[in-house]
């Protein structure tokens, strides 16, 4: 069993920044297997960022150059730094672990609005 808890969401103006955190715990897990997804109102949940098996960061085209995924192995935490935010980034952001199975966090709301 893997537990994931997101934090750091909120309301931000267009052009602003936020940093999301995903704290991971459980009996067996790998933070290298944790990525970020988002679900905008009326849309399906979509991939945002994750690490490949080789440890390289991979991003959705819509966030390349603006978002950065990183991890702190000592804190068992994965981060998503979001810069130059746009209204279309408004969504509930989830972290997901794909090992040893698929586990999701509860999500954190990000709203980009003036």
């Amino acid at each position: 069993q893997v537990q994931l808890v997101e934090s750091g969401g909120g309301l931000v103006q267009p052009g602003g920044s936020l940093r999301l955190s995903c704290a991971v715990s459980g009996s067996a897990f790998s933070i290298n297997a944790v990525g970020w997804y988002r679900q905008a109102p009326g849309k399906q949940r979509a991939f945002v960022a994750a690490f490949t098996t080789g440890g390289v960061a991979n991003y959705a085209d819509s966030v390349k150059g603006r978002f950065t995924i990183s991890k702190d192995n000592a804190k068992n935490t994965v981060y998503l730094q979001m810069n130059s935010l746009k209204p279309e980034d408004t969504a509930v952001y989830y972290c997901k672990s794909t090992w040893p199975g698929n586990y999701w966090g509860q999500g954190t709301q990000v709203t980009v609005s003036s």
Side-chain angles (χ1 to χ4, degrees):
Q1 191 79 2
V2 179
Q3 292 82 42
L4 305 105
V5 179
E6 302 95 336
S7 61
L11 173 64
V12 63
Q13 292 187 342
S17 298
L18 281 175
R19 188 177 81 156
L20 306 183
S21 300
C22 175
V24 187
S25 61
S27 56
F29 63 88
S30 170
I31 67 167
N32 295 319
V34 174
W36 288 95
Y37 291 73
R38 67 186 180 185
Q39 187 164 17
K43 295 187 177 181
Q44 291 190 335
R45 199 169 295 187
F47 169 78
V48 175
F51 293 102
T52 67
T53 52
V56 176
N58 189 30
Y59 300 94
D61 287 344
S62 59
V63 307
K64 280 181 182 176
R66 301 187 298 121
F67 291 12
T68 303
I69 188 172
S70 62
K71 52 187 170 75
D72 186 329
N73 292 314
K75 295 182 178 180
N76 292 328
T77 301
V78 179
Y79 302 98
L80 185 68
Q81 178 67 43
M82 307 185 295
N83 298 328
S84 302
L85 282 161
K86 304 175 182 180
E88 51 263 44
D89 295 317
T90 294
V92 178
Y93 283 71
Y94 299 89
C95 54
K96 176 187 177 182
S97 173
T98 57
W99 188 91
N102 288 328
Y103 297 92
W104 292 92
Q106 83 289 350
T108 185
Q109 176 71 48
V110 172
T111 302
V112 184
S113 175
S114 55

